[in-house]
Amino acid sequence: MAPSKSSSNTEGRLQGVTERSRTVAENRRELAEARRQSSEWGRRSSERERVQADEARAIAESARQTAEYARQDAAQARAEAAAMRARLDEQMQVVREMHETLLRMLRERNKIDDGPNRV
């Protein structure tokens, strides 16, 4: 006996529903996989951004330390320069005093005139 027309229609519809169900299930699996990958990419991206931020912070800290060392070096150089100026001023004062003493001794010995044209 041949299958009836309604039974054939029902089987055809059932087969269509089954195929659509498979397609929907496949689409859902693909969507779930896409979401998983998207989440993984987001996590990796966040991780990369976190690593880059950590590297940027390390570079900034290194630059800050370098600037601090430079400030300390400059302060030390200023202090050393001030100390050298002070020593030089002291030495110049000693030289001036010695010069004045020598001139006074020469004047007394030679009775040098302190006129405008004489030393």
Side-chain angles (χ1 to χ4, degrees), residues 62-108:
S62 176
R64 187 197 64 74
Q65 287 177 349
T66 300
E68 179 61 28
Y69 296 147
R71 278 191 292 277
Q72 291 173 359
D73 288 348
Q76 182 177 356
R78 283 190 301 274
E80 289 173 1
M84 289 173 70
R85 277 191 302 273
R87 281 193 304 275
L88 181 60
D89 287 345
E90 289 173 5
Q91 291 171 351
M92 287 301 294
Q93 183 60 36
V94 168
V95 168
R96 279 188 215 101
E97 290 171 2
M98 288 174 59
H99 178 73
E100 289 175 14
T101 302
L102 287 173
L103 281 178
R104 191 173 47 252
M105 289 171 62
L106 281 173
R107 283 186 194 117
E108 288 174 7

Side-chain angles (χ1 to χ4, degrees), residues 38-89:
S38 176
S39 175
E40 178 68 17
W41 291 335
R43 186 187 63 75
R44 286 182 184 167
S45 175
S46 294
E47 190 174 309
R48 270 193 308 276
E49 289 170 358
R50 191 170 40 255
V51 167
Q52 289 172 344
D54 288 346
E55 289 171 351
R57 278 191 290 277
I59 290 168
E61 177 61 19
S62 176
R64 187 197 64 74
Q65 287 177 349
T66 300
E68 179 61 28
Y69 296 147
R71 278 191 292 277
Q72 291 173 359
D73 288 348
Q76 182 177 356
R78 283 190 301 274
E80 289 173 1
M84 289 173 70
R85 277 191 302 273
R87 281 193 304 275
L88 181 60
D89 287 345

